[in-house]
PDB file of all heavy atoms in Angstrom:
ATOM      1  N   ASN A  19      -0.222 -10.879 -20.715  1.00  0.00           N
ATOM      2  CA  ASN A  19      -0.385 -11.831 -21.801  1.00  0.00           C
ATOM      3  C   ASN A  19       1.024 -12.151 -22.314  1.00  0.00           C
ATOM      4  O   ASN A  19       1.419 -11.544 -23.318  1.00  0.00           O
ATOM      5  CB  ASN A  19      -1.305 -11.352 -22.888  1.00  0.00           C
ATOM      6  CG  ASN A  19      -1.534 -12.351 -23.983  1.00  0.00           C
ATOM      7  OD1 ASN A  19      -1.287 -13.566 -23.792  1.00  0.00           O
ATOM      8  ND2 ASN A  19      -1.974 -11.893 -25.134  1.00  0.00           N
ATOM      9  N   PHE A  20       1.723 -13.000 -21.624  1.00  0.00           N
ATOM     10  CA  PHE A  20       3.100 -13.242 -21.979  1.00  0.00           C
ATOM     11  C   PHE A  20       3.403 -14.741 -21.926  1.00  0.00           C
ATOM     12  O   PHE A  20       3.079 -15.443 -21.001  1.00  0.00           O
ATOM     13  CB  PHE A  20       4.038 -12.514 -20.955  1.00  0.00           C
ATOM     14  CG  PHE A  20       5.489 -12.722 -21.180  1.00  0.00           C
ATOM     15  CD1 PHE A  20       6.135 -11.910 -22.127  1.00  0.00           C
ATOM     16  CD2 PHE A  20       6.226 -13.618 -20.479  1.00  0.00           C
ATOM     17  CE1 PHE A  20       7.506 -12.104 -22.383  1.00  0.00           C
ATOM     18  CE2 PHE A  20       7.579 -13.808 -20.712  1.00  0.00           C
ATOM     19  CZ  PHE A  20       8.213 -13.026 -21.635  1.00  0.00           C
ATOM     20  N   ASP A  21       3.981 -15.279 -23.047  1.00  0.00           N
ATOM     21  CA  ASP A  21       4.351 -16.654 -23.099  1.00  0.00           C
ATOM     22  C   ASP A  21       5.685 -16.893 -22.403  1.00  0.00           C
ATOM     23  O   ASP A  21       6.737 -16.568 -22.957  1.00  0.00           O
ATOM     24  CB  ASP A  21       4.428 -17.111 -24.573  1.00  0.00           C
ATOM     25  CG  ASP A  21       4.725 -18.557 -24.757  1.00  0.00           C
ATOM     26  OD1 ASP A  21       4.788 -19.281 -23.717  1.00  0.00           O
ATOM     27  OD2 ASP A  21       4.927 -19.028 -25.892  1.00  0.00           O
ATOM     28  N   ALA A  22       5.598 -17.443 -21.230  1.00  0.00           N
ATOM     29  CA  ALA A  22       6.814 -17.664 -20.427  1.00  0.00           C
ATOM     30  C   ALA A  22       7.196 -19.130 -20.399  1.00  0.00           C
ATOM     31  O   ALA A  22       7.926 -19.604 -19.519  1.00  0.00           O
ATOM     32  CB  ALA A  22       6.611 -17.153 -19.032  1.00  0.00           C
ATOM     33  N   SER A  23       6.704 -19.917 -21.374  1.00  0.00           N
ATOM     34  CA  SER A  23       6.909 -21.373 -21.329  1.00  0.00           C
ATOM     35  C   SER A  23       8.427 -21.729 -21.368  1.00  0.00           C
ATOM     36  O   SER A  23       8.798 -22.729 -20.688  1.00  0.00           O
ATOM     37  CB  SER A  23       6.186 -22.051 -22.504  1.00  0.00           C
ATOM     38  OG  SER A  23       6.576 -21.477 -23.753  1.00  0.00           O
ATOM     39  N   ASP A  24       9.204 -20.943 -22.099  1.00  0.00           N
ATOM     40  CA  ASP A  24      10.627 -21.276 -22.104  1.00  0.00           C
ATOM     41  C   ASP A  24      11.273 -21.033 -20.734  1.00  0.00           C
ATOM     42  O   ASP A  24      12.138 -21.814 -20.281  1.00  0.00           O
ATOM     43  CB  ASP A  24      11.386 -20.538 -23.203  1.00  0.00           C
ATOM     44  CG  ASP A  24      11.265 -19.038 -23.009  1.00  0.00           C
ATOM     45  OD1 ASP A  24      10.320 -18.548 -22.462  1.00  0.00           O
ATOM     46  OD2 ASP A  24      12.234 -18.336 -23.445  1.00  0.00           O
ATOM     47  N   LEU A  25      10.877 -19.952 -20.082  1.00  0.00           N
ATOM     48  CA  LEU A  25      11.424 -19.674 -18.763  1.00  0.00           C
ATOM     49  C   LEU A  25      11.003 -20.773 -17.728  1.00  0.00           C
ATOM     50  O   LEU A  25      11.762 -21.200 -16.922  1.00  0.00           O
ATOM     51  CB  LEU A  25      10.937 -18.298 -18.283  1.00  0.00           C
ATOM     52  CG  LEU A  25      11.558 -17.105 -18.936  1.00  0.00           C
ATOM     53  CD1 LEU A  25      10.862 -15.836 -18.461  1.00  0.00           C
ATOM     54  CD2 LEU A  25      13.031 -16.962 -18.581  1.00  0.00           C
ATOM     55  N   ILE A  26       9.717 -21.127 -17.801  1.00  0.00           N
ATOM     56  CA  ILE A  26       9.197 -22.117 -16.901  1.00  0.00           C
ATOM     57  C   ILE A  26       9.937 -23.483 -17.049  1.00  0.00           C
ATOM     58  O   ILE A  26      10.317 -24.115 -16.106  1.00  0.00           O
ATOM     59  CB  ILE A  26       7.684 -22.300 -17.055  1.00  0.00           C
ATOM     60  CG1 ILE A  26       6.946 -21.046 -16.613  1.00  0.00           C
ATOM     61  CG2 ILE A  26       7.152 -23.505 -16.281  1.00  0.00           C
ATOM     62  CD1 ILE A  26       5.508 -21.002 -16.912  1.00  0.00           C
TER      63      ILE A  26
END
Side-chain angles (χ1 to χ4, degrees):
N19 182 20
F20 181 80
D21 182 4
S23 55
D24 61 329
L25 286 172
I26 292 173

